[in-house]
Amino acid sequence: MPVTAQELTQQLLAWTVANSGHEAGRDYLGMSQIYRCPLDLYTELLTPGRKWATEDHLRFYAGYLFGRDVKARLAAIGHLRPGSERELVARFDTRFRGHTDGEVGDDLLEIKSTNQHKLDEIIAGRRIPDAHFNQVQVYMAHGGYTAAMVVYVARDTNSIHVVRVTASLRVQERLNMKAKVILTHLDRQTPPRCKCGRCNG
């Protein structure tokens, strides 16, 4: 019996959700999330297994597609170091981890897909979002990099913009201390103080 259009839609969505490249829950503190509120991160670690909406998985999958495509383009022009993706694990606690997109020469590679409006804001402001800045700083700290190439690609226009970020030991020390504090609170089962003003309780 041939598949119906509705069945095909449901099957495609189900496959995309299952292959969005995003874990339903983590049992570690992700380096890419270190910009978030300590209490928010603590709560997520305490109750792993967060369920994402289908729309979230579709966004994650789109990011995965653009990341893979940018790496293919970098490889084609001879700037992606083959097999350079790495899992990073903090020496002070193996529960603080991250996964890199690879390397461009000796620099860390980080790929971000966005939209043209947000890309225009990044270009006009001449600085990358704090979340991305903090992420590459901890990646550089634990990967031994002195600089990072952050490649932005707009999903709606395919525009490309690259920003080179250099390592800041002061920022790295602050973020590592933040991770240590969160994990210490997790061990003690005592919540850290909310820093964002939006956490419940």
Side-chain angles (χ1 to χ4, degrees):
M1 185 173 178
V3 65
T4 66
Q6 183 178 6
E7 289 170 340
L8 191 57
T9 299
Q10 292 172 343
Q11 290 171 18
L12 281 169
L13 282 173
W15 187 94
T16 303
V17 167
N19 292 273
S20 67
H22 202 86
E23 303 106 313
R26 294 173 172 167
D27 59 356
Y28 63 88
L29 179 60
M31 292 179 180
S32 65
Q33 302 298 305
I34 195 60
Y35 70 92
R36 290 166 49 196
C37 174
L39 180 56
D40 189 29
L41 289 169
Y42 167 87
T43 303
E44 189 172 276
L45 282 168
L46 206 61
T47 55
R50 175 179 177 179
K51 301 298 181 185
W52 297 97
T54 298
E55 292 75 15
D56 293 318
H57 283 287
L58 294 178
R59 191 177 71 255
F60 299 146
Y61 191 76
Y64 165 76
L65 286 179
F66 276 93
R68 187 174 63 180
D69 178 73
V70 169
K71 284 196 277 188
R73 287 190 254 178
L74 287 169
I77 60 177
H79 288 301
L80 178 68
R81 184 173 290 178
S84 54
E85 298 90 345
R86 297 168 60 189
E87 179 181 21
L88 303 176
V89 180
R91 288 182 294 277
F92 60 78
D93 196 312
T94 58
R95 293 173 295 176
F96 189 37
R97 301 182 218 162
H99 298 84
T100 73
D101 288 328
E103 297 171 3
V104 172
D106 293 327
D107 293 345
L108 168 72
L109 169 66
E110 180 59 33
I111 302 167
K112 297 295 185 186
S113 65
T114 184
N115 57 54
Q116 188 63 51
H117 175 71
K118 290 182 179 177
L119 183 55
D120 288 340
E121 290 181 341
I122 291 169
I123 294 171
R126 304 181 114 185
R127 66 192 300 270
I128 67 175
D130 288 343
H132 303 166
F133 181 76
N134 289 347
Q135 177 185 356
V136 296
Q137 287 296 336
V138 291
Y139 279 16
M140 285 190 278
H142 297 283
Y145 301 100
T146 58
M149 290 289 192
V150 186
V151 180
Y152 288 94
V153 56
R155 294 185 295 269
D156 49 346
T157 64
N158 204 31
S159 293
I160 295 275
H161 181 67
V162 182
V163 179
R164 190 171 190 264
V165 178
T166 55
S168 168
L169 294 180
R170 179 181 58 82
V171 173
Q172 292 173 2
E173 288 171 2
R174 174 175 59 80
L175 295 171
N176 279 333
M177 181 55 65
K178 179 180 180 180
K180 290 177 183 178
V181 168
I182 293 169
L183 292 170
T184 298
H185 277 280
L186 186 68
D187 290 336
R188 295 174 179 172
Q189 299 286 287
T190 57
R193 183 176 299 175
C194 170
K195 299 290 187 180
C196 69
R198 296 186 299 271
C199 297
N200 293 325

